[in-house]
């Protein structure tokens, strides 16, 4: 009987140790894999903290910290993306057994049941914006982007009304209704004929990332322009 009780105690200690250490580590590694899958990030570090650690098995996390390098959020690439959250409740069932027939974005939103706070920050580099504009501005060739605290200048060649010309686009990145936009403020054309054309129709804003593509229902709130980059921040609605 004494030997039997000793075995039971050992098994209980092993089970507690497994729940306390092995399960949180396994869940952390699984979440890291999901971040890489959803964002295409090249490198991801993540930590989950809860007291007691056994709460993580049920999906309750006191604090989460995640860093991802070159993460794609929608069509936008973020350098040094950082996610911080507190009082997180994760739907473990949805995480491990995703609902069939839904998009990756909807799956990500279902994983997070609630959060006391959740904040995503990251850096948009001049190269990232250059690649975006090259895809979105029709006929724009070899754009060069310069970012300063005062604004953004993009220069390149573009075909307007069948004619090629050197253009210089002035603008800024703004947060509006939860989305990020490249807001065009000016368009200068180095062509004597095209300068006589009303170019107002070519001035419009480009949505850098639609919030329906943002994970966990997050919305962009602020933008800080810097030399060579823009620091952006999003929070959960």
């Amino acid at each position: 009987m004494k030997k039997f009780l000793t075995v039971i105690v050992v098994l209980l200690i092993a089970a507690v140790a497994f729940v306390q250490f092995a399960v949180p580590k396994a869940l952390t590694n699984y979440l890291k894999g999901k971040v890489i899958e959803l964002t295409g990030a090249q490198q991801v570090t993540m930590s989950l903290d809860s007291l007691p650690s056994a709460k993580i098995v049920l999906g309750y996390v006191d604090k989460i910290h995640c860093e991802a390098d070159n993460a794609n959020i929608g069509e936008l690439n973020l350098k040094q993306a950082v996610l911080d959250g507190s009082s997180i409740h994760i739907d473990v069932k949805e995480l491990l057994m995703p609902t069939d027939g839904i998009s990756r974005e909807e799956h990500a939103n279902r994983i997070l049941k609630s959060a006391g706070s959740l904040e995503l920050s990251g850096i948009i580099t001049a190269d990232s914006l250059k690649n975006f504009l090259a895809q979105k501005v029709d006929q724009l060739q070899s754009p060069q982007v310069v970012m300063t605290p005062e604004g953004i200048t993009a220069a390149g060649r573009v075909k307007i009304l069948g004619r090629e010309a050197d253009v210089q686009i002035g603008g800024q990145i703004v947060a509006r209704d939860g989305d990020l936009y490249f807001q065009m403020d000016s368009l200068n054309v180095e062509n004597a004929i095209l300068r006589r054309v009303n170019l107002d129709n070519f001035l419009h804003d480009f949505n850098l990332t639609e919030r329906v593509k943002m994970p966990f229902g997050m919305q962009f709130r602020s933008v800080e322009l810097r030399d060579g980059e823009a620091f952006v921040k999003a929070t959960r609605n």
Side-chain angles (χ1 to χ4, degrees):
M1 184 68 177
K2 186 176 180 180
K3 186 177 180 180
F4 175 75
L5 290 175
T6 301
V7 172
I8 295 298
V9 170
V10 170
L11 289 177
L12 287 174
I13 292 174
V16 170
F18 178 78
V19 171
Q20 189 80 3
F21 300 106
V23 172
K25 183 177 180 180
L27 183 58
T28 299
N29 290 334
Y30 185 83
L31 285 172
K32 283 173 60 177
K34 295 298 289 185
V35 171
I36 293 173
E37 176 187 337
L38 290 170
T39 68
Q42 297 177 356
Q43 185 175 353
V44 174
T45 60
M46 178 178 289
S47 64
L48 304 177
D49 295 316
S50 280
L51 288 177
S53 297
K55 290 197 306 182
I56 294 180
V57 179
L58 302 176
Y60 292 94
V61 179
D62 292 339
K63 291 183 179 180
I64 183 171
H65 178 80
C66 179
E67 297 182 10
D69 191 28
N70 289 325
N72 295 315
I73 308 295
E75 298 182 66
L76 180 67
N77 179 268
L78 288 182
K79 178 184 176 183
Q80 299 173 0
V82 177
L83 177 70
D84 283 301
S86 63
S87 301
I88 307 294
H89 186 193
I90 297 171
D91 188 331
V92 178
K93 180 181 178 182
E94 179 66 31
L95 178 67
L96 300 177
M97 296 180 289
T99 303
D100 293 331
I102 63 175
S103 65
R104 291 194 312 174
E105 290 78 15
E106 187 176 352
H107 169 58
N109 289 336
R110 289 191 181 191
I111 288 175
L112 184 65
K113 300 187 73 172
S114 64
S117 66
L118 200 62
E119 179 180 286
L120 173 70
S121 62
I123 293 173
I124 303 173
T125 64
D127 282 341
S128 177
L129 182 59
K130 177 186 72 175
N131 294 335
F132 181 90
L133 293 176
Q135 295 177 2
K136 293 298 182 179
V137 180
D138 190 33
Q139 305 287 344
L140 183 63
Q141 302 173 8
S142 304
Q144 299 296 319
V145 173
V146 176
M147 287 182 170
T148 69
E150 289 72 36
I152 299 172
T153 301
R157 291 188 63 82
V158 69
K159 183 177 287 187
I160 302 176
L161 303 178
R163 295 177 178 271
E164 286 194 354
D166 292 324
V167 299
Q168 187 175 79
I169 300 169
Q172 55 189 317
I173 297 175
V174 297
R176 185 192 309 150
D177 298 327
D179 292 340
L180 282 181
Y181 290 86
F182 175 68
Q183 178 178 288
M184 291 178 60
D185 298 327
S186 63
L187 177 62
N188 298 318
V189 181
E190 297 294 328
N191 184 294
I193 295 176
L194 290 178
R195 275 202 295 265
R196 303 191 190 102
V197 178
N198 186 349
L199 298 175
D200 289 345
N201 291 333
F202 294 94
L203 286 172
H204 60 91
D205 299 343
F206 293 93
N207 195 326
L208 296 177
T209 177
E210 298 177 7
R211 64 174 175 270
V212 294
K213 296 179 180 178
M214 287 288 288
F216 313 130
M218 302 189 76
Q219 297 185 17
F220 283 102
R221 306 295 185 186
S222 64
V223 179
E224 178 189 348
L225 287 177
R226 302 171 176 174
D227 288 324
E229 63 187 29
F231 180 77
V232 298
K233 187 178 294 185
T235 58
R236 190 166 186 257
N237 186 18

